[in-house]
Amino acid sequence: MEQKMIPAREPPVNSRGILGWARENLFASPSQSLVTLALLYGLYLFIPPFWQWAVMDASWTGSSRSDCTTEGACWAFVTARLDQFIYGFYPDSEIWRVNLFFAQLAVVLGWLMIPRIPGKKMALVIGLLVLPVTSWLILTGSLLGLPPVETHQWGGLMVTLVLALYGMLASLPVGVLLALGRRSSMPVVRTFCTAYIELWRGVPLITVLFMASVMLPLFVPEEIVFDKLVRAMIGIVMFQSAYMAEVVRGGLQAIPRGQVEACQSLGMGYWQSMLLVVLPQAIRLVIPGIVNTFIALFKDTSLVLVIGLFDLLSIVQAGLNDPQWLGSAVEGYLFAGFVFWLFCFGMSQYSQRLEKH
Amino acid sequence: MWVRLWRDPVWRAVFFQVLLILGVVAVVAWVINNTLTNLEHRGISTGFDFLSQSAGFGIIQTLVEYDESQSFGRTFLVGLLNTLLVSFLGVIFATILGFLIGVARLSSNWLLARLASTYIEIFRNIPLLLQIFFWYFAVLGVLPSPRQSINFFDAIFLNVRGISLPWPILDSGMEIVVWAGIASLVLAMGVAGLCRNYRRTKGRPLPHIKVIIASVIIGLPLLTAWLTNAHLQWEMPVLRGFNFSGGLVILPELAALWFALSIYTAAFIAEVVRSGIESVSKGQKEAAAALGLKPRRVLSLVVIPQAMRVIIPPLTNQYLNLIKNSSLATAIGYPDLVSVFAGTTLNQTGQAVEVIAMTMAVYLTISLTVSVLMNLYNRWVSLVER
């Protein structure tokens, strides 16, 4: 009689390792195999030529299109104009100020987003109150005694970030107020907030920007002159706060009524209970939603092109019309698209990770 | 007395609301007053009289009759119809593409699922405006001139001026055939309803019903075509001088906007479809299979009806986004409502307030109508819980 356990035999070769995985996930049935082979053939047709064009045969430096003598992509268009794409028409001697702005942004965002670093409340206060003020002072310069740089000299990635940052920071508090107003028991306040939110959510951003750039100067006395960038910001904030309000309202609805009732039984007033108990919980719930609206806003900043501001996309677009670089459209759009994609994809990965936790 | 009133929540609420109304009225009055003075200084009259003045500019694509002598009011209609056209085309293409990719995303084929999610992650993270520019300037803008058109079967021509396609000519006989086609569809729908009723009451399906319905749809138009002796004629695009004439021409502006809108929105629709299908719990499928339903019936009778309940509200939202995003047309010069009316007409007349208000009102009406319909739909399909 057998005294020992018979050792387990290895599974058959075709059901383990790479082979087993491929059998299960790529060639499970004849029709699946057909699909897989067709897709592989499609990738074979597309990827090697693209790689050849974009990397192997590409020219990387040069000062005009005629310097690109190879068959492939002419990345010289991007490398020659990289400074302009990032800083716009900001004076060369003052570019350190823009870099300082980028650095501030990176430090505060890193502080907020990396869970291991302590002091999130401090970071939030700095991000919401200090950062916008210092950034504006550094970038405009005149109040700090630096050489003033007018906003029409700003451009490129810097304007994209400025618009997205200020649009976000200003729309957050307005959105919270609107969300509270829409859930208020006072009928006038509720109607007013609902009408405001539905009005801006119902129209395209482009009409809002047109309105901000054409009609805003009509709405105020002639002595008050807004510059173009500020007008665009006002339009973006009006629009964005409506979307923000709906996100925050989602969070408010998820907080059980017992929380407010507990506050009332402790003798807290409306603002106390909202600010100290309900909002902190509600906002924490909707951080992924807030990040998603921020992604949408970040993409939407490219629309300021139609009112003549130079964000990243429109400065690339302007560069393409330069007679020296005619025919560089594909390279220019691939570069701009990649930069936008990097920011948006990064943020959406972050928000998905938050949702999982 | 005042202190007591202040401590009374009812009075306090009234006080705040009165304050809010006064504040809003004051701001609005201030804005109106400023606007009127500013307009007066610039010598711009107010009111909607400009709508009946002659426009004096041409539009490259008009769905209704239009020429330069017609009024600014007519440009509003032309722009609106162009917006509706590109939105309609975009919605159809985006839905088909979005559903295909959403289903592919859940495929058991690893490669297909990966490619679908790559598509989603690429296209929803790049600004729509950039995608429109890419199609317009980098793809359609570098096509050859009409004389060197890319030629498909001598019928479809691709060149920098657009895409030329053959277009059917409807003579009187053909018109009757088209009407017969519509009538046969209505008839077939009626027959389908009758046999659904039959199955519900008798518990078994009518035999050969699919054949009957198919023969009605195909047979009736064919029969009328034979009786009226109508032939379908195609108007072919022909190269005359430097450009094609005849047939249907899809302008590059329309094509670029259509592709970009559909491809961008399809990425979002695919996510909506995926989450809808995933929302149907596994137990439902297993229970249906245990009752002996074949996989296809499980999908059509159990999974899809429940998934649609989850899919349709966010799907409608995506359609609304597509309609609103079609306003980006103005950046490449497709003559939509914003480009024609809030662009050219505004610049020619200077009536900023009226023009922008009318433009916004159009989008607002579309949005609010759709959301009212959506609420009705939600009430209709919502689960009745005990």
Side-chain angles (χ1 to χ4, degrees), chain A residues 154-191:
Chain A
W154 301 13
L157 183 62
M158 167 200 164
V159 160
T160 300
L161 286 176
V162 164
L163 284 172
L165 176 74
Y166 285 92
M168 185 69 193
L169 290 181
S171 63
L172 196 60
V174 182
V176 168
L177 283 181
L178 284 170
L180 289 176
R182 191 166 183 176
R183 285 171 55 81
S184 160
S185 54
M186 298 185 235
V188 174
V189 176
R190 197 170 57 228
T191 320

Side-chain angles (χ1 to χ4, degrees), chain B residues 42-62:
Chain B
R42 297 181 191 188
I44 300 170
S45 60
T46 51
F48 289 91
D49 295 339
F50 71 99
L51 286 176
S52 53
Q53 287 165 13
S54 161
F57 62 89
I59 298 174
I60 54 173
Q61 176 191 303
T62 55

Side-chain angles (χ1 to χ4, degrees), chain A residues 90 136 139-140 149-155 158-159 162 229 310:
Chain A
Y90 217 81
W136 194 257
L139 289 176
T140 51
V149 181
E150 302 274 326
T151 54
H152 66 80
Q153 287 174 289
W154 301 13
M158 167 200 164
V159 160
V162 164
L229 190 77
F310 286 99

Side-chain angles (χ1 to χ4, degrees), chain A residues 21 25-26 32 35-36 39-40 186-189 192 198-204 206-207 210-211 214-215 217-222 243 299 302-303 305 313 317 329-330 333 336-337 340-341 344-345 352, chain B residues 13 16-17 20-21 24 30-31 34-35 38-39 41-42 108-112 115 121-122 124-127 129-130 133-134 137-138 264 268 324 327-328 330-331 338 346 352-353 356 359-360 363-364 367:
Chain A
W21 178 87
N25 293 300
L26 297 176
Q32 292 277 11
V35 170
T36 306
L39 290 175
L40 283 176
M186 298 185 235
V188 174
V189 176
F192 178 75
E198 293 305 328
L199 172 70
W200 294 124
R201 274 162 46 93
V203 297
I206 219 166
T207 56
F210 267 136
M211 196 192 91
V214 182
M215 280 158 74
L218 292 177
F219 285 165
V220 293
E222 273 174 303
Y243 283 84
K299 285 186 291 177
S302 57
L303 302 197
L305 176 143
L313 176 59
Q317 178 73 12
V330 178
Y333 293 134
F340 274 109
W341 181 84
C344 297
F345 183 71
Q352 277 169 26
Chain B
F16 278 131
Q17 297 184 66
L20 180 71
I21 292 175
V24 170
W30 184 69
V31 163
N34 285 331
T35 311
N38 285 334
L39 286 176
H41 283 195
R42 297 181 191 188
S108 58
N109 187 323
W110 180 85
L111 190 62
L112 188 60
L115 281 178
E121 291 301 348
I122 288 181
R124 71 169 183 184
N125 283 322
I126 295 179
L129 187 61
L130 203 157
F133 279 164
F134 182 82
F137 291 110
Y264 180 76
F268 290 90
K324 284 186 276 176
S327 59
L328 295 187
T330 177
V338 172
L346 192 155
V353 181
I356 301 258
T359 312
M360 284 185 157
Y363 288 102
L364 203 58
S367 296

Side-chain angles (χ1 to χ4, degrees), chain A residues 279-326:
Chain A
L279 275 174
Q281 300 182 63
I283 302 248
R284 196 162 300 156
L285 274 181
V286 294
I287 287 177
I290 293 178
V291 176
N292 284 341
T293 34
F294 184 64
I295 296 174
L297 168 67
F298 192 81
K299 285 186 291 177
D300 280 347
T301 53
S302 57
L303 302 197
V304 296
L305 176 143
V306 296
I307 57 168
L309 282 173
F310 286 99
D311 78 313
L312 177 61
L313 176 59
S314 56
I315 213 154
V316 170
Q317 178 73 12
L320 293 174
N321 293 330
D322 183 342
Q324 286 197 313
W325 291 107
L326 285 181

